[in-house]
Amino acid sequence: MRALLFSIGLSIGWLSIAHAAAQAPDGGGNRSKHAYAVRVSNDSIRLDGLLDEAVWEAAAPITDFVQKEPVEGAVPTELMEVRFVYDETAVYVGARMYSGRPETIQAPMSRRDDEVEAEFVLISLDTFWDRRTAYSFGVTASGVRLDKYHASDDEIGDDNFDPVWEARTRIDGSGWTAEFWIPFAQLRFNNDNELIWGLNIRRRTPTLNEDDYWVMIPRTERGWASRFGELRGLEGIRTPRRVELLPYITGSSHVTGQRDPANPFDDGLNFDRRVGLDAKVALGSNLTLDATVNPDFGQVEADPAEVNLSTFETIFPERRPFFQEGSDLLRGPVTNFFYSRRIGARPTGPADGDFVDYPATSTILGAAKLTGRVGSSTSVGALAAVTSAEHARSFDRETGAFNDTFVAPRTFYAVNRVEQQFGSNQSTVGFQFTALERDLKSEDPLSARLVRRALTGAVDTLLRFGNNAYEARGLASFSYLAGETSAIERVQRNSAHFFQRPDRPGGMRLDPTRRTLAGSKLQASLEKVTGEHWLWQTSMDNDTPELETNDFGRLNTAGDMGLTNRLTYRETRPGRYLRSYQIDTNFNPRLYWDTDVGMQRNFSQFASATWRNFWYTSIGWNLDLRAQDPFLTRGGPLMEHPRRWGVNGTARNSITSRVRWSTTWSVNGSEDGDSARDLEFEIAVRPAPSWQFSMTPSYQREFSTRQYLTQKGGGRPEVYGNRFIFGEIRRSTVSMQLRLNYTFKPDLNLDFYAEPFAASGSYDRFGELLVPKSRDLLVYGENGTTLDRLTDGSLLVTDGTASFTLENPDFQVKSFRSNLVLRWEWRPGSTLYLVWQQNRFESRAIRERAGLGTMFRSFSAPGDNFFAVKTTLWFSTN
């Protein structure tokens, strides 16, 4: 609670500063197009998709649509009429889409927000008339709802926005019709007597590969809400008193595979039950408070399997609905300071025992978000969450004793962002602040592993000029950590910093006495974003070595300066063979401030084309020159990486095809003989209107001459008395993602996801770095050294009088993950979930290459099954 109050208080302070300095936008946009909504009495429309009520005749239809695809600026092939009416509680949309061949209308069934292959109509509303943000509501010809929130002036939008609204459709001899019911309670808008909203309308006709718009934005220009026309006539709308409650109850069972009867923490079924509550409260007409207490995300799809041998953490997308909605506003352009998956992540404290009951996640006790607008030009977003302290239970067979180990402290999280729009070109300035506070005392063992406090702050700006043809961006930010000396030392030693590296300049080396760590980041860019043929961008980013955001954000490396230079030539006018094409040329040098041996240099080029039949192909190449790398030895001295190159390509057919396919491939190599071959193919078919099936097999084969293994003492003076040990590795990875979906009706779906996965790695030719700043190795078994493989697979190395062993690094991994979910929105906003998840896994230290047979044997690997029933019930004061 204190985190939320702190975050909201900070928002109010920033709002007062930003609002006082703001300049109201002058209007801009597309003033030439106007539409009018007509007020009607309550209950005058029955939502059935028929458009047979008399009130529709009273509203003037919108008919002046324009093609964007396939012929920009042309008259649409088929006519469309769209009308708007409203009453005290909602705005209604009635749309008639004519078709000369109604039997060809593509109307497949699918789950919400899936419009692939389907004909649809989409209504976009800039309810604040700020020419930057917008809501989109759409429906396919089969009645599948589509909804998005556009946090910036971009058409893509966020489809995690799922308000409570309804739509109905009908197909007839003239085409199809649609009726929308959009409650004012689900929208945020300025509290004026007469509302003026920005408006755009889109119709997608896949059989014609045609996109028609009310306001068509040319292919050579950017923008979305800034180009909208106007919707007028909305008068006397009272601010809705919006309070929505969504309680849930769930029961689950975790069935363990190969259960050990002696495990006191596993009874075979492991029943559990939970209750919780989500709430949404309108604070005036512009702001919304979302809160959740004891949330449950058991129906969320699992992450794909992987074997990561790099120094960098794999970043998985957020899948939890509470943290997905509104994330663009909270994150803004400062993408690496807020990573919502840190909230509720698995604890990291150690726990030992013959049997350990270790928590898979940190329990989220509660979380709250405040999002919306103040006035017509200031956006605000604030998030606060608290996770509970976690303990692992362990059991010792010999003594029969149970132990309780503290593995995670209670933790408070806060994110705050304010964005102010100003000027006639909708430029912006933003402020962001994040805070993490762990409830740790100096005597707690975890205080030696975890920092107590982590803060970040940033100010950013986007300046548009030259009639919105150019954009300049800037960012200045900081990070700050505080904690015990051992915790700060762990941060200095992690893979983003490697302050322990022995050849770092003196002022940037490990300091085990530090209790704080503060760093900063600067970014700037200038870009030409519109134009018929030529575009360009140049940008710079600079991190100080002490920058650290991984407690609440994500960061791979710090302490470098990079330049990005891109030149683009494009053709958007269809020709004899191609509809469009584009060629990008990039030069990206990067300098690490803690080195004295020059910079890393990368060159790349990428060409893409859309053919007349709407097929798409691309091909690219890249070249990395030789350079010193501060990360290859994982905290050891600098090591050179060789000259490297790569080629990649993509091909796919039209996204509106009923059988869709795509393939991506890449081939990489180096002057040392390293190689990598990646191939992925996807095919998606719809055997019947309610069925969808997709299969995505992928294969990777890699040979690396210098895969880092470990570090040991007793090395030569040239390498600072240590041994930095590498091996040649041959890796194989085979996986296949399968998806099968059946839609009974638009609000009742059965979704199945499965991924069999296999990976292997076999090591040979072991050695240690011979000389810093080179890539030469002292190979074991040569030059007076010996290498013997022992019966347990480990390796015995002798070097003169010294000897040491290496653990067997070979591996083969099999994994099978699946997720079956029945989702039924049995009344608006209320949903029932039936869930079955599997997680099978097996890892062995063997020299056996993974192939298709290995992947399919993952079905029989030991693992767990998870079953759950969850229901939510939506209540609203409206």
Side-chain angles (χ1 to χ4, degrees), residues 26 629 698 723:
D26 71 348
D629 194 313
S698 65
R723 303 177 188 269

PDB file of all heavy atoms in Angstrom, residues 26 629 698 723:
ATOM      1  N   ASP A  26      -2.757  22.465 -31.125  1.00  0.00           N
ATOM      2  CA  ASP A  26      -3.598  23.411 -31.832  1.00  0.00           C
ATOM      3  C   ASP A  26      -4.727  22.763 -32.608  1.00  0.00           C
ATOM      4  O   ASP A  26      -5.550  23.445 -33.194  1.00  0.00           O
ATOM      5  CB  ASP A  26      -2.737  24.258 -32.786  1.00  0.00           C
ATOM      6  CG  ASP A  26      -2.227  23.449 -33.972  1.00  0.00           C
ATOM      7  OD1 ASP A  26      -2.352  22.205 -33.932  1.00  0.00           O
ATOM      8  OD2 ASP A  26      -1.711  24.055 -34.924  1.00  0.00           O
ATOM      9  N   ASP A 629      36.647  -8.401 -26.808  1.00  0.00           N
ATOM     10  CA  ASP A 629      35.364  -8.628 -26.159  1.00  0.00           C
ATOM     11  C   ASP A 629      35.584  -8.763 -24.656  1.00  0.00           C
ATOM     12  O   ASP A 629      36.341  -9.634 -24.211  1.00  0.00           O
ATOM     13  CB  ASP A 629      34.721  -9.902 -26.708  1.00  0.00           C
ATOM     14  CG  ASP A 629      33.252 -10.014 -26.337  1.00  0.00           C
ATOM     15  OD1 ASP A 629      32.929  -9.799 -25.154  1.00  0.00           O
ATOM     16  OD2 ASP A 629      32.435 -10.339 -27.215  1.00  0.00           O
ATOM     17  N   SER A 698      11.533 -26.378 -35.847  1.00  0.00           N
ATOM     18  CA  SER A 698      12.769 -25.603 -35.996  1.00  0.00           C
ATOM     19  C   SER A 698      13.960 -26.506 -35.707  1.00  0.00           C
ATOM     20  O   SER A 698      13.863 -27.479 -34.938  1.00  0.00           O
ATOM     21  CB  SER A 698      12.783 -24.391 -35.058  1.00  0.00           C
ATOM     22  OG  SER A 698      12.794 -24.802 -33.702  1.00  0.00           O
ATOM     23  N   ARG A 723      43.114 -19.866 -14.883  1.00  0.00           N
ATOM     24  CA  ARG A 723      42.883 -20.612 -16.124  1.00  0.00           C
ATOM     25  C   ARG A 723      41.455 -20.329 -16.590  1.00  0.00           C
ATOM     26  O   ARG A 723      40.500 -20.604 -15.858  1.00  0.00           O
ATOM     27  CB  ARG A 723      43.062 -22.120 -15.891  1.00  0.00           C
ATOM     28  CG  ARG A 723      44.423 -22.526 -15.330  1.00  0.00           C
ATOM     29  CD  ARG A 723      44.464 -24.024 -15.081  1.00  0.00           C
ATOM     30  NE  ARG A 723      45.667 -24.440 -14.385  1.00  0.00           N
ATOM     31  CZ  ARG A 723      46.800 -24.813 -14.997  1.00  0.00           C
ATOM     32  NH1 ARG A 723      46.832 -24.839 -16.317  1.00  0.00           N
ATOM     33  NH2 ARG A 723      47.859 -25.185 -14.292  1.00  0.00           N
TER      34      ARG A 723
END
